[in-house]
Amino acid sequence: MTASSDDSSSLGLARWYDLFSRGARDWLRHDEKVREAVREHLPKIIANGDVINDSARSVRVPVRMLEHYHFRLRNPGDSQGVGQGEAKPGDVLADGNPDRGSEKGEGGDGDGGIQLMLEIKIDDIVDWLWEEMQLPNLKARVGPSDDSDWVREGWDRRGARSRLDRRRSVKELVKRQGLGGPKTFTDEDLRFRQLARRRQPAVHAVVFFMLDVSGSMSDRDRKLAKTFFFWVVQGLRREYRSLETVFVAHTTEAWEFAEGDFFQVTGTGGTVASTGLNKVREIIDARFSPARHNIYLFYASDGDNSIGDHAPAKEALDDIATKACFSGYVEVASGLSRQLATETGRLFGDAAADGAPVASYVIDDFDGVWGAVRHFFNAEAKALG
Amino acid sequence: MSEPITGPAGDWRSYVQNMEELAARCGMNFHPVEFEAVPDTFMMEIAVYGLPVRMPHWSFGVRYIYQLIQRNMGNSRLFEVVFPGNPGHAYLSNGNGMAENVLVTAHVLGHADFSRNNLLFRRCQEQVSEHIVEHAASHARQISQAIETHGPQRVEAALDAALALEQHIDIDQRLRRERYPEFLPDPKALVDDDFRRRFASLDPVAAHGVFETKKRAPVPPHPERDLLWFIAHYAPEMESWERDIFLAVREESFYFYPVFATQIMNEGWASYWHARLLREADFIPPEAYVDAIKCHSDVVRPMAADQQVALAVNPYHLGFSLWEKIIEQQGLEAARRIMQEDDDFGFVRNHLTREMAEELELFRFTARNDGQIKVMDRDLHGLHEALLAPKYNFGAPNIAVSKLGNDGALELEHDHVTDGRGIDVDRSRKVLEYIHRVWRRPVTLHTVDQGGAALALASQ
């Protein structure tokens, strides 16, 4: 009945609750669940154009705390309560705010709905994307090189001294001690890292991003294109150990740009797609042999190409199609979508009809970016499969 | 406030025994209590989990963060948490000052007196045993083992469902209940006449076949409100470890119910006693007494110091005021009898009188969806109902199992007449999904929509 006096500090002993927080543990599990939930809204995240900062390796996504649901009565229009203090019937203690009504109705749990910012690694998103789309592994046209590499794989009880995994070995010791074995290391406890030889996927790839920067392309169009390109790079990086990127912008002329400048470029005047396509051709011929590189081309435009350019552009595209694994045309039409019934749309449509590895897609808004990524990578997988 | 605990000597602990003796002299009757001073962080966890050691679940993580935010905003402070039992366990915050802890010790003894003598507590403790703290710890262990064997996802699915239904128990039934009888009593078997006896003597086997065919009893034989128990026993495809999880949650709910249903009485009783024991404790140095009384008035005040009006009733204040009045008018013996027999429903209805309501300046208000709050009236019956409404049925809608189909389909019926309105459709769908994941056959809930028309919600 007396108060216990085993004060932790006086005995110099830590109690279990000093070392371990259940609340934190369960909070971490909540955090994981939020991530899973966010994952289900992947298209939305991808649609978020602000996600892409050149150097950012993560994305911040606002999320709500999860609610563990219980059966509850429907929210009554008015609720009643009991208060205490100097007040007469008819007194108004708080004024109504007509704006609040709608806000409160939808699932607000009355806790003021704390918002969290969740930081998600771009790599994770790409992982999810890949699983989500269940893409057959993209096959490289240029066969795998002979490159192979040693990778770590599993543990064994025997091995070279240099591969001894100390942490793992101590674990074994502890396990055995738990079963009442001797307290010193024996050979039985030692664990060595094993290596296995793994073939590396195709190594060299180059992706051309070609952007129409003519006067008709609005800022929004350019941003749509940029978002799309961003995810394409992420996707291809996954497949190729060394991925080079080449950025080409064109109006009636074409230029190669560094990535940093590429999206800032604004041009004026008309659109002659063949200039851009020829520039790509030139660069391929000069720097990337199709025999040693897997070549990709993605072209973003609003579709307005000058009428007279059809033949030269077709010729250039056909030539590229023989050298590239895949060419994609994405029509960014934030203003009015003509569903590829444009000059450039026809150009790529014709090439596809000829059986070239070419596909087209329209992006009207940011939500469409997801569809585009999915479309191209499935199409590409098919074209190569 | 006063000096912090510096060591085992010369601090609040030295008064515990005096306080216990004084309490006993005042007629209080309690099991021994083990006091432990713990860090604030742990206090917070106890408050979040409701028990010092409890099963893991992500929803506790959410509550934990809310608590953490509240604490950082300085909104709440926990002095103590008590667990009834024999012995009882009291956790005191390390951050309490010496005088605060003297007060808290007296307060804890009030709770210990209450939980040992109140009928509802006694009934529940008889069933759950007097060792809920230890039981909860063993549930937690059992669930960690399940996680190791069956993986975190599957255990979480079972806990999602079980904890979502934690209020849906039937406190009028026993904790350990038998399954329903499998067969209906056979009315024919009771008939005993010459013909039947003769027939039976001629061919016992045939007679058995003709006259004693048993009829299967329907399941459930009556609407079953104990959803946790029903699911644990009648789910067609649940595994035994999942049933154990449901029963573990149910046992903890049996423990939580009296705490929930007597909060006003219980906190009031403890507050009455800490005030009185403090007054009579001549062994406390006068400066500690002053500090402790200041702390007392902080705890039982009806509203924050700078406010004229509060939009919630502080249960400490309400309970404390009612007990003071009862003891003043009817004497301690009568008060002890009330303490033993009532729960908050009886306590408020019988003892929150017209005069008391006026003295406490209680009023009823309506809060509109757009935030407007308006004082309605001081009608006594209305006050009783508004105070007690959140307490009916463990604070949950009345939902009972109405039918178990031959195909294993589960049908739930919401008693919207008693509850006065239908159910929150979106949330209920989610709960049905939780249930479906362990029931593994269709689950349907019948309620009414906004217009009062019948509405059936189905899982998926």
Side-chain angles (χ1 to χ4, degrees):
Chain A
M1 180 126 56
T2 50
S4 56
S5 60
D6 47 349
D7 199 0
S8 57
S9 53
S10 59
L11 291 176
L13 278 174
R15 312 289 305 239
W16 64 270
Y17 45 73
D18 291 327
L19 305 170
F20 171 70
S21 159
R22 291 165 295 156
R25 173 200 61 199
D26 287 350
W27 172 248
L28 285 176
R29 174 64 194 128
H30 169 270
D31 207 57
E32 256 173 52
K33 284 181 75 73
V34 172
R35 273 162 207 277
E36 286 163 19
V38 165
R39 181 180 169 162
E40 280 157 27
H41 298 281
L42 214 47
K44 279 258 172 310
I45 305 176
I46 293 189
N48 179 2
D50 300 329
V51 165
I52 305 146
N53 290 317
D54 303 322
S55 57
R57 298 311 300 153
S58 62
V59 177
R60 287 164 72 82
V61 186
V63 293
R64 295 178 62 121
M65 292 231 235
L66 298 180
E67 180 184 345
H68 182 226
Y69 299 98
H70 288 68
F71 286 127
R72 237 199 239 181
L73 291 183
R74 192 183 318 112
N75 236 355
D78 297 348
S79 55
Q80 285 188 6
V82 177
Q84 192 170 6
E86 290 174 41
K88 296 183 303 297
D91 283 3
V92 174
L93 303 176
D95 286 325
N97 176 359
D99 299 338
R100 245 189 74 189
S102 54
E103 220 176 278
K104 202 180 160 191
E106 45 172 294
D109 30 350
D111 295 314
I114 298 169
Q115 263 216 348
L116 311 165
M117 283 303 246
L118 199 63
E119 195 148 339
I120 302 177
K121 290 203 188 94
I122 302 258
D123 283 343
D124 286 345
I125 298 181
V126 178
D127 277 347
W128 296 343
L129 257 177
W130 246 238
E131 271 168 47
E132 197 77 12
M133 301 203 292
Q134 297 185 323
L135 291 178
N137 280 335
L138 297 180
K139 280 192 199 124
R141 193 167 78 165
V142 177
S145 61
D146 293 333
D147 288 8
S148 60
D149 207 353
W150 291 101
V151 291
R152 270 190 198 164
E153 192 174 82
W155 290 266
D156 198 351
R157 294 191 178 187
R158 277 176 294 278
R161 182 119 200 131
S162 62
R163 300 211 187 287
L164 176 67
D165 186 336
R166 291 183 178 77
R167 194 184 159 83
R168 187 87 188 184
S169 304
V170 171
K171 255 192 192 168
E172 294 298 325
L173 171 70
V174 172
K175 263 200 256 173
R176 199 170 40 70
Q177 273 180 4
L179 295 173
K183 299 234 182 306
T184 49
F185 280 103
T186 68
D187 286 347
E188 289 290 283
D189 299 327
L190 301 184
R191 291 293 180 275
F192 297 89
R193 292 193 190 92
Q194 295 303 298
L195 298 180
R197 191 177 269 280
R198 277 290 163 74
R199 265 264 268 283
Q200 287 301 314
V203 209
H204 304 296
V206 56
V207 49
F208 288 86
F209 291 111
M210 186 166 126
L211 181 64
D212 171 6
V213 294
S214 64
S216 59
M217 287 282 284
S218 67
D219 273 353
R220 194 178 138 85
D221 288 343
R222 255 198 298 276
K223 201 166 168 200
L224 277 174
K226 180 180 172 177
T227 308
F228 169 72
F229 286 166
F230 175 81
W231 292 108
V232 167
V233 175
Q234 298 303 325
L236 289 171
R237 275 220 172 105
R238 178 142 301 237
E239 296 304 316
Y240 297 102
R241 204 210 251 165
S242 79
L243 179 74
E244 286 182 69
T245 47
V246 178
F247 296 90
V248 172
H250 78 90
T251 56
T252 53
E253 278 178 77
W255 310 269
E256 187 184 347
F257 280 98
E259 182 172 357
D261 304 326
F262 179 62
F263 292 102
Q264 313 307 323
V265 181
T266 349
T268 49
T271 314
V272 180
S274 61
T275 58
L277 292 169
N278 279 322
K279 186 83 187 172
V280 170
R281 241 165 124 186
E282 227 174 77
I283 297 172
I284 291 175
D285 291 344
R287 287 156 35 196
F288 303 102
S289 141
R292 296 200 16 248
H293 291 89
N294 293 290
I295 299 170
Y296 294 86
L297 164 68
F298 287 96
Y299 176 37
S301 164
D302 59 1
D304 288 324
N305 197 17
S306 79
I307 307 282
D309 190 44
H310 188 81
K314 181 73 169 41
E315 194 243 312
L317 179 61
D318 286 347
D319 180 50
I320 292 173
T322 62
K323 295 169 182 161
C325 295
F326 181 74
S327 308
Y329 165 56
V330 45
E331 193 161 294
V332 283
S334 59
L336 114 132
S337 166
R338 287 160 293 184
Q339 297 303 322
L340 299 171
T342 54
E343 188 51 39
T344 319
R346 222 169 317 127
L347 176 67
F348 278 77
D350 289 352
D354 295 345
V358 166
S360 310
Y361 198 82
V362 183
I363 306 180
D364 307 274
D365 53 18
F366 284 97
D367 289 342
V369 172
W370 160 251
V373 173
R374 195 190 180 93
H375 177 81
F376 282 113
F377 283 91
N378 274 327
E380 205 243 3
K382 256 184 254 132
L384 292 163
Chain B
M1 272 190 169
S2 39
E3 73 277 11
I5 302 171
T6 44
D11 66 1
W12 59 277
R13 294 174 201 276
S14 52
Y15 301 115
V16 170
Q17 203 184 338
N18 290 340
M19 198 62 94
E20 284 168 342
E21 285 162 10
L22 174 61
R25 278 203 303 279
C26 290
M28 295 168 75
N29 171 20
F30 44 86
H31 289 306
V33 181
E34 283 178 0
F35 289 88
E36 186 173 354
V38 300
D40 262 346
T41 48
F42 186 55
M43 286 297 286
M44 215 176 70
E45 291 192 354
I46 298 176
V48 165
Y49 287 78
L51 283 161
V53 179
R54 205 178 174 199
M55 52 188 67
H57 188 252
W58 60 269
S59 62
F60 297 124
V62 176
R63 285 192 227 164
Y64 176 73
I65 290 298
Y66 278 120
Q67 274 278 341
L68 207 63
I69 292 166
Q70 285 238 318
R71 191 183 65 158
N72 288 349
M73 296 193 311
N75 283 352
S76 66
R77 204 178 141 207
L78 281 166
F79 291 103
E80 46 77 30
V81 185
V82 199
F83 297 96
N86 188 10
H89 297 266
Y91 295 89
L92 276 55
S93 165
N94 251 344
N96 294 348
M98 181 317 229
E100 284 169 336
N101 269 332
V102 170
L103 183 84
V104 166
T105 309
H107 189 86
V108 164
L109 296 178
H111 280 310
D113 180 29
F114 190 92
S115 61
R116 180 167 182 179
N117 294 288
N118 178 268
L119 203 61
L120 191 56
F121 264 95
R122 266 166 45 203
R123 237 172 57 83
C124 285
Q125 278 184 68
E126 263 164 37
Q127 307 201 24
V128 180
S129 93
E130 290 175 328
H131 303 283
I132 182 62
V133 172
E134 292 80 355
H135 279 220
S138 95
H139 293 155
R141 212 164 30 243
Q142 163 200 336
I143 281 165
S144 334
Q145 263 158 17
I147 290 174
E148 243 169 58
T149 322
H150 308 285
Q153 266 83 16
R154 297 181 64 198
V155 173
E156 189 172 281
L159 277 172
D160 279 350
L163 286 170
L165 299 176
E166 67 185 341
Q167 296 139 298
H168 296 270
I169 56 171
D170 186 349
I171 204 76
D172 298 329
Q173 298 281 349
R174 301 194 61 78
L175 177 66
R176 314 205 191 280
R177 273 174 78 177
E178 294 295 316
R179 288 171 66 101
Y180 307 121
E182 215 166 319
F183 298 101
L184 289 173
D186 186 0
K188 278 185 261 173
L190 299 173
V191 182
D192 187 29
D193 57 22
D194 286 345
F195 172 73
R196 259 169 235 270
R197 267 200 303 273
R198 178 77 183 125
F199 187 89
S201 69
L202 290 173
D203 186 350
V205 177
H208 182 83
V210 171
F211 295 111
E212 285 174 33
T213 342
K214 287 181 173 176
K215 263 201 170 159
R216 277 196 178 273
V219 175
H222 50 80
E224 177 57 65
R225 299 171 47 210
D226 197 330
L227 304 187
L228 288 173
W229 176 82
F230 186 86
I231 292 172
H233 284 89
Y234 289 94
E237 286 183 47
M238 239 162 101
E239 294 185 36
S240 62
W241 63 268
E242 292 175 310
R243 297 176 200 274
D244 289 344
I245 287 180
F246 270 67
L247 294 176
V249 169
R250 178 167 172 266
E251 185 176 351
E252 289 174 17
S253 287
F254 265 75
Y255 156 73
F256 283 118
Y257 182 75
V259 181
F260 175 83
T262 63
Q263 193 208 10
I264 298 171
M265 283 177 86
N266 193 353
E267 292 300 353
W269 187 256
S271 300
Y272 172 80
W273 281 108
H274 76 222
R276 174 156 171 194
L277 293 179
L278 219 60
R279 264 198 317 269
E280 298 186 9
D282 46 16
F283 47 85
I284 299 173
E287 63 277 9
Y289 174 76
V290 172
D291 283 345
I293 283 297
K294 214 159 67 195
C295 174
H296 158 76
S297 53
D298 282 348
V299 169
V300 302
R301 72 182 170 200
M303 57 204 86
D306 51 348
Q307 280 178 336
Q308 293 285 305
V309 171
L311 289 176
V313 172
N314 176 353
Y316 289 80
H317 176 69
L318 177 61
F320 175 74
S321 312
L322 294 184
W323 282 123
E324 279 219 306
K325 183 66 87 185
I326 292 167
I327 291 164
E328 179 196 313
Q329 292 180 342
Q330 306 176 38
L332 185 56
E333 211 167 304
R336 288 198 70 85
R337 209 167 41 245
I338 293 165
M339 177 269 275
Q340 286 164 22
E341 291 166 4
D342 267 348
D343 57 12
D344 277 352
F345 299 99
F347 185 64
V348 166
R349 290 206 184 106
N350 295 336
H351 304 288
L352 177 58
T353 55
R354 179 74 283 167
E355 300 73 54
M356 272 315 280
E358 261 160 39
E359 203 180 307
L360 296 172
E361 298 186 300
L362 299 183
F363 59 83
R364 193 153 61 121
F365 64 83
T366 50
R368 281 205 320 231
N369 249 351
D370 66 359
Q372 194 214 56
I373 295 172
K374 198 169 172 184
V375 179
M376 245 172 104
D377 55 29
R378 295 179 180 279
D379 171 61
L380 187 64
H381 178 71
L383 286 173
H384 287 169
E385 288 314 299
L387 275 172
L388 297 174
K391 293 186 161 265
Y392 287 121
N393 198 38
F394 216 158
N398 279 285
I399 292 174
V401 179
S402 55
K403 194 179 159 199
L404 173 60
N406 286 333
D407 56 351
L410 177 67
E411 291 199 27
L412 304 174
E413 183 85 36
H414 171 224
D415 182 357
H416 57 88
V417 180
T418 303
D419 283 340
R421 59 183 192 271
I423 237 170
D424 181 323
V425 171
D426 293 339
R427 288 199 170 82
S428 301
R429 281 227 167 82
K430 304 276 191 192
V431 178
L432 293 180
E433 275 170 37
Y434 295 151
I435 300 175
H436 180 253
R437 265 187 276 156
V438 289
W439 186 267
R440 303 186 172 98
R441 305 277 172 93
V443 183
T444 316
L445 169 65
H446 299 279
T447 178
V448 289
D449 66 9
Q450 219 130 12
L455 177 69
L457 304 173
S459 54
Q460 280 138 29

